[in-house]
Amino acid sequence: LDWGHERLRRRVQDGIREVRFMLNGQLAKLRKELSEKRPSASEIDGRLEGLAESVNEIIRLVGVEGEALAEAGGAADWRRRRLSRLQTELVNRIVKLQNPQQCQSAKKLICNLNKGCGFGCQAHHVLYCMTLAYATGRTFVLDSVNWRYSRGGWTSVFEPLSKTCTERGSAGAKQWGSTGAEDAQLVEVPIIDAMAHKPPYLPQAIPADLYEELSGLHGNPFVWFAGVLLNYIMRPNAAFQRQLDDNAIRLGFAKPIVGVQVRRTDKIGSEAAFHDISEYMVWVEEFYKTYELRHGRPDKMRVLLATDDANLLNEAARRYPAYTFLSDTSSSRSASVRDRYSDGGLRGVISDVLLLSKTDYLVCTFSSQVCRLAYELMQVGRDDSSDRFHSLDDVYYFGGQLPLEVTARFAHKARDSSELDLSPGDVIGLAGNHWDGYSLGQSRRLGRNGLFPAYKTELVVRKAEMRPGL
Ligand code: GDP
């Protein structure tokens, strides 16, 4: 602790007090006026806008000071070092599991890469298989022949998942969950959506032996766990890495930079709603306002724009001339036409995901697997970065996951029939966050759905025994 730290602490506390004064004082004044002289709608609107501006400004300042406080005294480095040690430990276990001394007789878990969906979805399928392999102490063998994206299979772009053991062998495999499968040498795993009895180590569970340290260090331990596994799974091979590096240089990738991913084409109307570029840019603007308060004016306000909509870059550059947009248009073009599932489309989407994961802040829709993949990878090698995103739609989730739950820290009395009563300790199955202060969920105690103030709850971090058998 030093004086700098103490100054920050006081500023945070003062800022919170000023928000209270500003909000309560100005609202009281407005209510008084409303009862006495009936101001016009536009006068009220102007007053509310002024109030919102002031309150947001104070909150932004408190946010900046809170951020500085979180890093003071070397705390950020300390967290980064500890997370990095945990990562090394986890990766060492995986490498050991993936390279058994006797490949011939090792117990294996086999997954087929050809889940009928896009790359983000397939990468999550591979992650799910890797998690099952880790939890059951089996070597993971990925079968990627006839991959829709590339004839050369997985290793046309990535390193193999093992140096010594990539063949399934000739013995017959048992289906996951069938009788005798637990002891069988080879087990084949279905896609997560088809899994009948879900074991406790499915997403979003983290290994029980990492729980204490990880939930202390990170705001969303499962996302970190997923990121570390994916970072191992998706190691570009040397030739592809050179391409990626060239691409980053060609685009002018540098900090500060905000990642924006806009998922459109076939997703709109079926799985997600259309969002205008302005909805994303609100968050980009907020990031740079905050950035400037802390670090001064940046040389450029960079935005990495990844999208499957080939027309968006022109529109964005025209409407937001103050920003420098970096966009790999060859990949968005190929994403929106027939060769999307080709080798070129594959390299484009991987490049976009990896670049998004290296940005300072991510704005996207979590309904897209491309965006969730970038968010997971973003956690690797950094201080806790669980809050460096804004999703315009869903909360973070993993398709096929065990129920996502929050628990009530404080009591709440429902204000109308759309809301839920909360008692401390209540468990609520989370259905979504409206990003307006309220979340939607099912109270396990009351057996009914409703809205509740998100700030009165916290995420339940699931843990499960996972036995890599090392
Ligand atoms: P989701 O459909 O958005 O949940 O994600 P998937 O990865 O399962 O399928 C979408 C596919 O569309 C991707 O694999 C890409 O081929 C393409 N795509 C979507 N968004 C982008 C993007 O931002 N950049 C690129 N290059 N391709 C994208």
Side-chain angles (χ1 to χ4, degrees):
L1 293 187
D2 58 16
W3 302 137
H5 184 279
E6 284 306 290
R7 202 171 306 121
L8 282 170
R9 174 185 66 73
R10 278 195 301 273
R11 282 187 179 160
V12 168
Q13 289 172 332
D14 289 352
I16 290 167
R17 200 185 50 217
E18 291 307 320
V19 173
R20 181 180 301 135
F21 288 159
M22 178 71 75
L23 192 65
N24 293 337
Q26 297 304 314
L27 282 178
K29 221 161 117 183
L30 187 62
R31 290 172 84 175
K32 188 155 174 280
E33 275 175 37
L34 278 171
S35 67
E36 286 172 357
K37 56 176 195 214
R38 310 237 157 255
S40 71
S42 75
E43 277 172 328
I44 298 172
D45 197 51
R47 296 285 295 277
L48 287 176
E49 200 181 312
L51 176 59
E53 198 181 306
S54 300
V55 167
N56 275 309
E57 182 107 21
I58 307 174
I59 291 173
R60 193 175 297 130
L61 281 165
V62 173
V64 166
E65 279 143 9
E67 214 177 272
L69 191 61
E71 293 171 13
D77 286 328
W78 174 78
R79 280 190 300 271
R80 197 179 308 120
R81 268 200 314 276
R82 290 196 70 153
L83 284 170
S84 158
R85 264 213 310 269
L86 274 184
Q87 178 184 358
T88 307
E89 167 67 23
L90 189 52
V91 171
N92 283 345
R93 290 181 196 171
I94 291 168
V95 169
K96 213 160 162 189
L97 188 67
Q98 286 303 97
N99 295 282
Q101 288 188 338
Q102 301 287 336
C103 177
Q104 274 285 341
S105 56
K107 283 192 168 179
K108 292 173 193 157
L109 181 135
I110 302 155
C111 266
N112 193 308
L113 182 55
N114 282 313
K115 185 169 176 179
C117 52
F119 175 75
C121 164
Q122 292 185 335
H124 282 130
H125 176 56
V126 178
L127 169 62
Y128 142 81
C129 294
M130 182 86 246
T131 310
L132 291 187
Y134 179 85
T136 56
R138 288 173 174 273
T139 302
F140 172 29
V141 176
L142 180 65
D143 179 359
S144 70
V145 289
N146 297 322
W147 190 17
R148 70 191 294 187
Y149 273 106
S150 173
R151 267 171 212 240
W154 184 256
T155 52
S156 62
V157 279
F158 297 120
E159 292 289 337
L161 296 178
S162 165
K163 280 187 171 35
T164 58
C165 196
T166 54
E167 299 299 324
R168 55 180 288 162
S170 51
K174 289 237 179 219
Q175 283 302 313
W176 176 274
S178 67
T179 39
E182 238 169 82
D183 301 315
Q185 195 209 341
L186 305 183
V187 172
E188 237 159 350
V189 175
I191 60 172
I192 192 168
D193 321 66
M195 196 167 243
H197 302 289
K198 300 201 164 181
Y201 39 78
L202 282 187
Q204 300 186 30
I206 59 164
D209 65 336
L210 304 184
Y211 176 86
E212 180 117 344
E213 192 170 357
L214 200 48
S215 52
L217 287 168
H218 202 277
N220 197 329
F222 173 78
V223 182
W224 179 90
F225 177 64
V228 168
L229 262 56
L230 282 166
N231 188 62
Y232 173 81
I233 291 166
M234 292 173 54
R235 284 162 299 142
N237 62 31
F240 185 35
Q241 186 63 55
R242 274 195 299 277
Q243 252 185 327
L244 290 168
D245 293 344
D246 288 349
N247 199 30
I249 293 169
R250 193 174 49 78
L251 288 173
F253 190 93
K255 301 272 183 105
I257 188 163
V258 179
V260 171
Q261 195 240 346
V262 180
R263 177 74 168 98
R264 289 190 175 156
T265 62
D266 59 313
K267 196 93 170 175
I268 305 293
S270 56
E271 292 177 36
F274 178 90
H275 295 280
D276 187 77
I277 185 69
S278 58
E279 295 178 58
Y280 298 82
M281 291 305 290
V282 168
W283 297 93
V284 176
E285 282 164 358
E286 184 60 40
F287 172 87
Y288 279 112
K289 277 185 193 156
T290 306
Y291 181 92
E292 198 173 330
L293 282 174
R294 181 112 197 257
H295 306 283
R297 209 166 244 292
D299 63 329
K300 284 179 184 172
M301 295 198 285
R302 291 179 200 80
V303 179
L304 178 82
L305 180 65
T307 178
D308 55 345
D309 181 345
N311 300 316
L312 188 61
L313 176 61
N314 282 338
E315 183 191 337
R318 183 170 45 76
R319 287 174 62 187
Y320 294 92
Y323 293 88
T324 304
F325 289 91
L326 288 61
S327 189
D328 193 347
T329 46
S330 64
S331 80
S332 54
R333 242 194 330 272
S334 71
S336 56
V337 293
R338 222 162 23 99
D339 69 345
R340 172 158 141 182
Y341 294 124
S342 70
D343 203 281
L346 173 67
R347 282 162 203 260
V349 67
I350 298 170
S351 172
D352 276 350
V353 164
L354 295 178
L355 288 174
L356 287 168
S357 78
K358 293 185 172 68
T359 61
D360 298 308
Y361 191 82
L362 192 56
V363 187
C364 56
T365 47
F366 272 167
S367 55
S368 170
Q369 308 232 28
V370 172
C371 168
R372 275 179 276 136
L373 196 57
Y375 176 56
E376 290 149 357
L377 287 164
M378 185 186 219
Q379 307 309 316
V380 183
R382 304 198 194 195
D383 183 12
D384 176 8
S385 298
S386 54
D387 61 355
R388 295 188 161 267
F389 78 96
H390 183 78
S391 164
L392 298 183
D393 56 14
D394 299 335
V395 293
Y396 173 82
Y397 68 96
F398 192 98
Q401 69 191 6
L402 298 169
L404 185 61
E405 292 169 337
V406 297
T407 175
R409 295 177 59 208
F410 310 104
H412 178 68
K413 189 96 202 86
R415 294 195 180 123
D416 59 49
S417 62
S418 71
E419 292 191 12
L420 281 179
D421 276 336
L422 300 179
S423 288
D426 274 4
V427 174
I428 300 137
L430 190 66
N433 189 317
H434 288 203
W435 309 120
D436 62 358
Y438 280 82
S439 289
L440 180 70
Q442 190 198 50
S443 164
R444 304 280 192 238
R445 180 171 61 86
L446 304 170
R448 90 179 187 82
N449 290 321
L451 295 164
F452 57 90
Y455 77 91
K456 291 189 172 179
T457 64
E458 67 187 345
L459 187 72
V460 175
V461 179
R462 274 182 190 277
K463 57 178 171 178
E465 286 307 324
M466 303 196 193
R467 301 176 310 273
L470 306 168

